[in-house]
Amino acid sequence: GVRKIIVIPNGVDLEKFTDAGGPTSRIGSPFVILSVGRLEKVKGHKYLVEAFAGIKKEIPNARLILVGDGSERDNLEKQADELGIGGATEFAGEILHDELPRWYHRADVFVMPSLSEGFGITAIEAMAAGVAIVATRAGSLPEIVRDGETGILVERGNAEQIYSAVLRIYRDETLRLRLAENGEREAQKFDWRNSATEVYKIYLSLV
């Protein structure tokens, strides 16, 4: 019976992440793929690890960094070893939130391979840090990442599409810079101050 619904998205403390590095040339240095999140099945990391096995063949100096911990860590480490990419895959474990900006700063591409997602806070953090994004069409991620404009969207549970999207960004520097710059601008919408202002306006309208 509710007739009027106002949606106010979660906010992010953008000052921590803005200008954390931004898009920079990685010539001569490792091409870093980053993912931040709990290592649980619902986060879909196994598809990212599978995709990375193919990416590594195309980009010999590529590295995959998984920030976070969870019940799937042992399985993911075993998968990486079996695929021959264990040495190029870093399991960073849990990281304090205040330390996350420097991890985003190391990345060329941020991948969010979730099978299900409520609200992709880490996607916004990566965008605010000026990192090109690949994300699945899960939950609210398509509301945050506009395909081809602020990132590249792929289907859930599809390692091949993750592989193709990352290689596309790697091979097209202009695209990578455009996605990063557009994403950084888009992230401004999710500043906590904007969310707080919208809540304040609603309370005022009810007085």
Side-chain angles (χ1 to χ4, degrees), residues 126-137:
M127 289 164 65
V131 184
I133 289 183
V134 174
T136 54
R137 300 179 187 276

Side-chain angles (χ1 to χ4, degrees), residues 41-44 112-121 123 134-145 152-157:
K41 288 184 178 180
V42 71
K43 293 297 185 179
M112 199 162 187
S114 303
L115 302 179
S116 178
E117 192 65 52
F119 188 76
I121 290 289
V134 174
T136 54
R137 300 179 187 276
S140 63
L141 287 177
E143 298 176 30
I144 299 170
V145 181
I152 296 178
L153 290 174
V154 299
E155 298 304 321
R156 291 175 289 182

Side-chain angles (χ1 to χ4, degrees), residues 61-202:
N61 71 339
R63 289 192 59 80
L64 172 62
I65 301 176
L66 300 179
V67 171
D69 213 341
S71 63
E72 281 294 291
R73 178 165 179 165
D74 288 345
N75 290 335
L76 292 169
E77 289 180 340
K78 180 180 179 181
Q79 180 188 11
D81 288 338
E82 290 176 347
L83 290 172
I85 54 173
T89 304
E90 178 180 349
F91 290 84
E94 292 186 8
I95 301 295
L96 292 176
H97 193 262
D98 286 345
E99 296 180 6
L100 280 178
R102 70 182 183 88
W103 290 85
Y104 289 115
H105 174 54
R106 295 175 61 185
D108 295 282
V109 179
F110 179 84
V111 179
M112 199 162 187
S114 303
L115 302 179
S116 178
E117 192 65 52
F119 188 76
I121 290 289
T122 56
I124 296 172
E125 291 174 348
M127 289 164 65
V131 184
I133 289 183
V134 174
T136 54
R137 300 179 187 276
S140 63
L141 287 177
E143 298 176 30
I144 299 170
V145 181
R146 296 197 307 277
D147 190 32
E149 296 181 41
T150 61
I152 296 178
L153 290 174
V154 299
E155 298 304 321
R156 291 175 289 182
N158 194 315
E160 180 63 30
Q161 288 192 12
I162 295 174
Y163 162 85
S164 297
V166 172
L167 284 184
R168 180 182 169 194
I169 290 172
Y170 171 75
R171 291 167 176 164
D172 190 339
E173 179 76 359
T174 300
L175 172 65
R176 184 174 75 84
L177 293 175
R178 179 166 57 82
L179 294 178
E181 290 169 0
N182 289 345
E184 193 167 359
R185 283 194 294 270
E186 183 73 11
Q188 300 306 309
K189 297 179 181 179
F190 299 95
D191 189 295
W192 264 124
R193 288 169 294 191
N194 294 337
S195 298
T197 298
E198 292 305 310
V199 172
Y200 178 66
K201 288 179 181 178
I202 291 175

